[in-house]
Amino acid sequence: MGTSDTHDAPAPMEGSGAYNRNSRVQAAGLAAAIPYFEEAARACTLAPAAEPMVIADYGASEGRNSLVPMASAIAVLRQRTAKDRAISVIHTDLPDSDFNALFQTLANDPDSYARGDAAVFPAAVGRSFYEQILPSQTVMLGWTSWAVQWLSRIPGPIPDHVQIAYSNDRTARELYAAQADADWRDFLMRRARELRAGGQLVVLTMALTDDGDFGYRQVLAAMYGAMTDLVADGKLSEAELARMAIPTVGRGRVQLLAPFDANRHFVGLKVEQLDIFLGEDRIWEQYEKDRDAAAFGARWAAFSRASVFPTLALAVDDPANAGAFLADAESRMAARLAKHPEPSVIPLARLRLSKEAC
Ligand code: SAH
């Protein structure tokens, strides 16, 4: 965890509502984990009547994509308990995340679960989920979507790409695999402490297909191509590109189950359900309807800008150039993708874990 002196921690998403506006692909993917979360809400042991029921949402970003999952779990809990029973919903993210956008979403979005139920109390925490961030044995239900693919640190440079899944550098691949394994164990250990006995945790994360495919092939080729275009045009130096790395990993069934024993137990957690599936490619579906190649390129470029470009921009020497870098990279990437739109493979994993009653 965060022990490197030479590499920055991953940056948060772009902020100012950019993630809320450009995360349709994520919204479509996480929908498949909502039935798991509803099952978790049915199966979890309820907190004693005198205490609030605590739901934690790890890696919430600007909150838009948390609204439906939280509402789904709350609806199940309301069937199990009195209408005025207090529910505390705690959204967490890194300290630099745009919490203003999160609070505005909770207050104003028409889909907000926080409107219209006076016994639901949202709150937020700005702290890495690779630490324990909530008191021990207080969380009844945990949710995390599209977040644990982010490593705790950049474990090293990727000489031939910005995404490790498409690198041929063996040393780099080994470093990322080791970091991914350590981080997954850390994440699970911290959550195991926070969960109450009988609590449940649902995880939706980027994955690998059973053939080991990370997916997004064309999108990531266009992204790296955009970076090499910027180098060719003198807008980015070789050294800056060499430092650019997105510390995200897909974990397949093998990597997800690695910490668990033959009975699927680890640190008091048990894997109740695990499924690897393909997310819907909403951007391709839109292209099939409108046949607008420029819009297709622009949508994937906006997705990338909102989710990963700020991390790449950390490698730009002069912070004053970061804004121009984001704009140039986005337009280059969009132009490359518009030339020949293709559907993307979107490998995802959904897991439901329970904390053993001690
Ligand atoms: N849950 C939302 C948002 C996912 S975006 C959805 O499903 O669409 C991923 C979020 O994970 C970002 O906001 C990022 O800042 C957060 N994140 C990445 N690493 C984190 C860490 N170590 N601790 C807490 N949040 C983290």
Side-chain angles (χ1 to χ4, degrees):
M1 286 191 10
T3 48
S4 164
D5 327 314
T6 50
H7 295 104
D8 289 301
M13 309 293 105
E14 190 175 8
S16 306
Y19 185 83
N20 273 351
R21 288 192 301 275
N22 294 296
S23 51
R24 267 176 293 189
V25 170
Q26 291 93 329
L30 68 82
I34 291 175
Y36 277 28
F37 201 38
E38 289 170 333
E39 179 55 27
R42 275 190 290 272
C44 70
T45 306
L46 295 177
E51 294 176 28
M53 302 189 285
V54 176
I55 306 178
D57 171 27
Y58 300 98
S61 189
E62 297 164 352
R64 174 96 189 84
N65 282 349
S66 299
L67 300 180
V68 176
M70 295 306 121
S72 307
I74 290 167
V76 173
L77 294 177
R78 284 287 176 242
Q79 288 164 9
R80 294 184 65 191
T81 60
K83 291 257 170 301
D84 59 352
R85 179 78 192 276
I87 298 179
S88 163
V89 181
I90 305 176
H91 300 279
T92 83
D93 209 292
L94 290 168
D96 288 342
S97 187
D98 188 348
F99 286 98
N100 286 339
L102 170 77
F103 286 121
Q104 280 156 12
T105 300
L106 294 173
N108 302 325
D109 193 294
D111 291 338
S112 174
Y113 67 84
R115 294 153 56 107
D117 185 335
V120 170
F121 302 92
V125 174
R127 205 168 178 194
S128 169
F129 53 49
Y130 292 115
E131 300 169 48
Q132 185 177 344
I133 51 185
L134 294 168
S136 298
Q137 296 183 51
T138 57
V139 175
M140 199 175 91
L141 281 175
W143 165 267
T144 183
S145 64
W146 291 94
V148 298
Q149 71 266 2
W150 286 94
L151 300 178
S152 61
R153 57 190 279 265
I154 294 178
I158 308 173
D160 55 346
H161 213 286
V162 289
Q163 167 51 244
I164 194 64
Y166 289 103
S167 167
N168 294 312
D169 189 274
R170 208 171 140 190
T171 312
R173 292 182 69 97
E174 282 169 5
L175 271 175
Y176 278 70
Q179 188 71 50
D181 184 61
D183 282 350
W184 179 225
R185 287 168 197 270
D186 271 336
F187 180 85
L188 292 168
M189 284 191 284
R190 304 303 186 248
R191 302 299 78 77
R193 290 190 75 93
E194 293 167 358
L195 280 169
R196 311 179 62 94
Q200 300 225 346
L201 170 69
V202 169
V203 178
L204 182 286
T205 184
M206 291 170 76
L208 301 173
T209 66
D210 288 341
D211 299 332
D213 185 5
F214 178 75
Y216 312 89
R217 181 171 297 274
Q218 185 197 29
V219 173
L220 288 164
M223 190 184 296
Y224 190 61
M227 301 306 142
T228 54
D229 286 350
L230 294 179
V231 171
D233 289 358
K235 294 195 166 179
L236 193 66
S237 72
E238 295 272 4
E240 287 169 319
L241 176 55
R243 281 199 302 272
M244 286 184 177
I246 306 167
T248 59
V249 293
R251 295 185 180 91
R253 198 176 300 276
V254 171
Q255 291 82 7
L256 288 167
L257 289 176
F260 296 89
D261 68 17
N263 297 318
R264 297 196 162 188
H265 289 270
F266 175 63
V267 293
L269 294 176
K270 171 158 199 256
V271 179
E272 302 283 353
Q273 286 179 286
L274 163 62
D275 180 39
I276 307 275
F277 66 102
L278 297 182
E280 276 176 48
D281 183 349
R282 287 280 165 91
I283 295 177
W284 173 254
E285 285 165 14
Q286 183 67 37
Y287 173 71
E288 282 194 305
K289 282 189 206 126
D290 63 22
R291 292 281 148 187
D292 183 341
F296 171 87
R299 288 194 181 103
W300 272 119
F303 162 100
S304 305
R305 176 172 178 159
S307 54
V308 298
F309 282 10
T311 299
L312 299 180
L314 291 174
V316 172
D317 281 326
D318 182 352
N321 294 334
F325 163 77
L326 292 174
D328 287 344
E330 184 177 5
S331 64
R332 299 297 169 109
M333 194 181 160
R336 279 179 166 260
L337 287 162
K339 283 187 197 146
H340 181 53
E342 282 174 19
S344 286
V345 171
I346 301 177
L348 291 169
R350 49 183 173 170
L351 290 96
R352 184 167 64 86
L353 302 144
S354 63
K355 164 91 178 278
E356 284 146 334
C358 348

